[in-house]
Amino acid sequence: RPALCIVGEPTNMSVGTKHKGKRISRCRVTGQEGHSSDPRKGVNAIEAASMIIGQLARIARRFHDAGPHDEDMDPPYTIIQTGTINGGTSLNIIPNSCIFEFEIRHLADNGPNEILREVQTFAEDTIIPAMHRVSSMAGISFETIAEYPGLATSEAAEVVQLTKALSENNGVVSVPYSCEAGLFHEAGIPTVICGPGSIEQAHRPDEFISFDQINRCERFLDRLKDHVCHDL
């Protein structure tokens, strides 16, 4: 079994012990078409979707205001945002379909299951009964598109102390992005993040890693090699 894992994402060669988890979800709202001149005879899927999106925004605001907060993270709370939405065919037709996708970027100890249950309960108790009074075929469904857990490794962990020594850096950082470190951590493998460069210079035109960072990473890898070979 692996003794530890060091994920080489950019940390300026500091030791990263935390990142947020993420869940991407899709909500599909099925309504009932009708002419816009008489909305009583239809179920507007876009309006129903907008109510759910509004509930997501209220929950997001609650996390912003009341937490939980982790001041090591930036921002220090769980984030929820709707990123895409599609629905309707014509302005004079009550839309019978609306699909939107949203993401939850959550603190490691503030998982998304409870959030999704709250949203689903809101839809089932508040929105669907009114839809069914017009059409029994109307409904709302949720599906998970992708997800991965957060990372929260104790600073006292052996992997942290070893990586500090290898990097010659006694500080630890929490990274604003997510990566596969949480997956290894969830599998029971002690995990940290440590790599050259900064996320501030990544994923944009002319991204770069300085020669100083590359040199520090090379020295880190040499020390790691010596450490592993010594143990063998």
Side-chain angles (χ1 to χ4, degrees):
R1 184 176 183 82
L4 57 91
C5 176
I6 303 171
V7 175
E9 293 286 348
T11 63
N12 283 315
M13 295 308 298
S14 296
V15 184
T17 57
K18 293 182 180 181
H19 73 66
K20 289 180 178 176
K22 182 176 177 179
R23 179 173 294 182
I24 303 170
S25 298
R26 177 181 296 136
C27 178
R28 187 183 304 271
V29 181
T30 302
Q32 172 67 53
E33 277 190 347
H35 196 274
S36 61
S37 62
D38 191 351
R40 298 171 300 175
K41 297 179 180 179
V43 178
N44 192 312
I46 292 177
E47 290 183 359
S50 71
M51 293 175 67
I52 302 170
I53 293 170
Q55 180 69 1
L56 287 166
R58 285 187 288 273
I59 296 171
R61 186 67 193 181
R62 187 178 74 216
F63 284 128
H64 174 279
D65 294 341
H69 292 117
D70 182 345
E71 298 304 329
D72 291 333
M73 303 297 299
D74 185 24
Y77 47 84
T78 291
I79 296 169
I80 306 171
Q81 77 107 21
T82 301
T84 66
I85 185 168
N86 186 24
T89 56
S90 177
L91 186 58
N92 66 340
I93 299 175
I94 298 170
N96 72 342
S97 177
C98 185
I99 299 171
F100 67 91
E101 294 179 354
F102 61 96
E103 66 174 9
I104 303 170
R105 293 180 179 266
H106 59 89
L107 301 178
D109 58 355
N110 184 210
N113 291 336
E114 185 175 343
I115 299 170
L116 288 173
R117 280 195 297 269
E118 181 176 351
V119 175
Q120 290 171 329
T121 299
F122 172 79
E124 292 167 0
D125 294 348
T126 306
I127 305 174
I128 292 178
M131 298 171 73
H132 282 175
R133 284 196 287 270
V134 178
S135 172
S136 61
M137 301 300 293
I140 299 169
S141 64
F142 295 86
E143 62 177 310
T144 297
I145 306 303
E147 64 178 319
Y148 46 81
L151 173 71
T153 299
S154 168
E155 189 172 350
E158 184 178 348
V159 63
V160 175
Q161 302 310 311
L162 172 61
T163 309
K164 282 182 178 181
L166 296 175
S167 64
E168 296 184 329
N169 188 330
N170 286 326
V172 298
V173 297
S174 298
V175 299
Y177 52 83
S178 297
C179 63
E180 67 269 33
L183 293 168
F184 292 114
H185 180 77
E186 188 176 62
I189 302 170
T191 303
V192 294
I193 310 164
C194 187
S198 168
I199 195 64
E200 297 298 324
Q201 292 130 22
H203 306 305
R204 62 192 65 201
D206 302 322
E207 69 176 354
F208 66 92
I209 299 176
S210 68
F211 284 118
D212 173 68
Q213 286 288 303
I214 293 174
N215 290 335
R216 290 181 62 187
C217 183
E218 287 179 339
R219 294 195 298 271
F220 176 95
L221 292 173
D222 284 340
R223 288 189 285 268
L224 176 60
K225 176 190 63 179
D226 292 342
H227 175 81
V228 173
C229 290
H230 179 270
D231 286 350
L232 293 176

